Amino acid sequence: MALSSTPRRTTLADVAAVAGVSPATASRALGNGKNVSTATRQRVWAAAQQLSFQPNRLARSLRRGSTMAIGLLLPDVANAFYGAVLRGAQGILEAAGYHVLVVNTNRTASTEREALRSLHAHQVDGVLIATYGGFEDIGVPVVFFDDVIPGVGVGAIALANQQGVGLLVEHLVEAHGHRRIAFVGPPDTAQDGPAPPVFSNRERLEGFRTAVGRAALALPPEYVRTTTGSFVESARAIGAELLAGEPRPTAIVGGTDTMSIGVLMAARDAGLRVPEDVAIVSFDEPMYADLLAPSITSLDRHDLELGRRAAQLLLDALAVDGGPPPVPAVERVRLSLRLRHSCGCP
C-alpha cells in the first residue's frame, strides 16, 4: 500500500534561493531588518509571494516587539489625490511586510485626535499623517505628508505648492497673454483646530498671489475666492459669480481638481466657451483629464510619489536602532505642467 505524500512546506531557504540572497538576508528583508536595500527587500517579498511563503507574523512580532502595522491618516479617502497617496504608500509598506490601517479624518482636528488614540490602542509601529490640526504624539515614529508640522516626527514631505501654482500662472500669462486671472481654491484654514504650519491649501493661495504679483497683474479682491462644503458645487457657484462679474476674468486657476471641474461646469452653465471665452487650469490633475471636454491643463500627477516617499521615510526610521534621528526638514516634490486644451494649447 503506497503511502500518501504531502507537499513539502516552503521554507525561508527556498525564498532565499529564488531571490538570489542568503537565508540571513531573506530573514532581514522579510522582517524589515537593517542593512537591506529597498530593491533587495522587494525582490525577497516577490519571491515569497511567488512561493506562497507566509512568514510567521505573530512570532516575528513577538520577537521584535512589533505589530508590523502602520497607521495612515487621510483627510478625505473619497478624494482621488488621497486615494493615490494611499496606493503609493501601501505598495511600499506591504512590500516591507507591514499591513496598513487606514483612517479617514474628515478634515477635522477632533476626528484626527480620536484616530491617533485608536491607533495607539492598536499598538501600531508608526504613523503616516496629513494633519488637519489634531496631531498628538502617541510615542511612535511619525512621518507627515502634504499638510505638515515642520520639526516634528521623523520625516516630512509635501508638494511644492507655491512653485506649482506659479507654473500655472506663468503659463497663462506668458503663453496666452492673460491679464485678468482669478483663483478658486479650498479653505485656507482648518475647519476646527489650528491649521498646520505647512498647509497645502494656504500655500496654493499664497503661491497664486505671489505669481500674480511677480507678473505685475492687477488682482481685485473678488478674484481670490476660497470655499467650504462640496468642492465641486461650491466652485460651480463661485465660478458663476466670477463669470457674471465685470470685468470678467479671462482665466481661472482651480486649487484642486474637483474645484476646476466645478468652474468648468459654471462656464458651461453660462454658455461660455473654454478656452475661447475663459481659460481654466487645475492644480491637481483630474481623473481622466484627457477625456474631459475640453481636456484640462494641470500639474502632472504627483500623489503616488508623495505616498511612496513618505512611506520610505517611515521605513528608514523604523530600521534605525539607537539614538534619536535628526530634526527632519520638509522635503518637497517639485511639479511640472501637463498642457492640454483648456488653457488654449493644442
Side-chain angles (χ1 to χ4, degrees), residues 2-70:
L3 295 176
S4 61
S5 60
T6 57
R8 185 176 70 87
R9 183 177 180 180
T10 301
T11 67
L12 181 64
D14 298 326
V15 174
V18 171
V21 300
S22 69
T25 298
S27 178
R28 289 198 302 274
L30 294 172
N32 198 37
K34 297 187 296 181
N35 302 321
V36 182
S37 69
T38 300
T40 298
R41 197 182 307 280
Q42 292 176 343
R43 192 166 71 249
V44 171
W45 274 94
Q49 292 175 345
Q50 175 186 335
L51 298 175
S52 299
F53 176 74
Q54 295 293 328
N56 190 326
R57 187 184 300 273
L58 176 60
R60 188 171 73 239
S61 297
L62 292 172
R63 185 170 63 252
R64 299 181 65 233
S66 159
T67 60
M68 297 303 292
I70 299 296

Side-chain angles (χ1 to χ4, degrees), residues 72-317:
L72 176 56
L73 279 70
L74 300 173
D76 183 0
V77 294
N79 184 285
F81 170 80
Y82 291 116
V85 170
L86 167 61
R87 291 196 303 275
Q90 192 170 21
I92 295 294
L93 294 170
E94 290 185 347
Y98 287 89
H99 58 281
V100 182
L101 304 179
V102 182
V103 184
N104 180 35
T105 65
N106 290 314
R107 303 180 187 271
T108 61
S110 55
T111 304
E112 183 179 316
R113 282 191 292 272
E114 293 172 6
L116 285 163
R117 292 166 185 169
S118 176
L119 290 172
H120 177 63
H122 283 82
Q123 298 182 314
V124 295
D125 294 336
V127 169
L128 296 173
I129 178 172
T131 180
Y132 255 67
F135 175 73
E136 292 180 350
D137 186 358
I138 60 172
V140 299
V142 174
V143 169
F144 293 91
F145 67 91
D146 195 37
D147 299 310
V148 168
I149 304 175
V152 178
V154 298
I157 185 163
L159 302 177
N161 290 293
Q162 296 198 37
Q163 174 253 347
V165 173
L167 289 176
L168 294 168
V169 173
E170 288 167 11
H171 179 74
L172 290 169
V173 173
E174 296 174 6
H176 302 289
H178 288 284
R179 307 297 298 174
R180 300 197 305 272
I181 305 176
F183 178 85
V184 180
D188 60 337
T189 58
Q191 292 184 24
D192 69 342
V198 174
F199 192 51
S200 61
N201 296 352
R202 183 175 58 240
E203 288 194 337
R204 294 177 194 183
L205 176 57
E206 291 172 352
F208 175 77
R209 291 184 186 277
T210 299
V212 167
R214 193 163 53 239
L217 304 183
L219 187 59
E222 62 270 20
Y223 276 20
V224 180
R225 305 289 296 274
T226 60
T227 184
T228 58
S230 167
F231 284 179
V232 172
E233 289 306 320
S234 295
R236 187 177 189 176
I238 290 174
E241 294 174 10
L242 285 170
L243 296 173
E246 289 293 340
R248 186 177 70 212
T250 62
I252 299 176
V253 176
T256 69
D257 52 349
T258 49
M259 304 200 84
S260 62
I261 290 173
V263 172
L264 178 61
M265 295 168 68
R268 290 178 179 170
D269 294 341
L272 299 176
R273 300 167 300 163
V274 178
E276 292 84 357
D277 298 321
V278 59
I280 297 172
V281 297
S282 173
F283 185 94
D284 295 316
E285 184 176 18
M287 296 293 289
Y288 310 112
D290 290 315
L291 299 182
L292 295 172
S295 55
I296 293 185
T297 288
S298 67
L299 299 173
D300 205 352
R301 291 209 73 89
H302 34 259
D303 29 24
L304 281 170
E305 182 183 358
L306 190 73
R308 291 181 184 126
R309 287 174 60 176
Q312 191 58 56
L313 282 174
L314 185 57
L315 287 180
D316 293 344

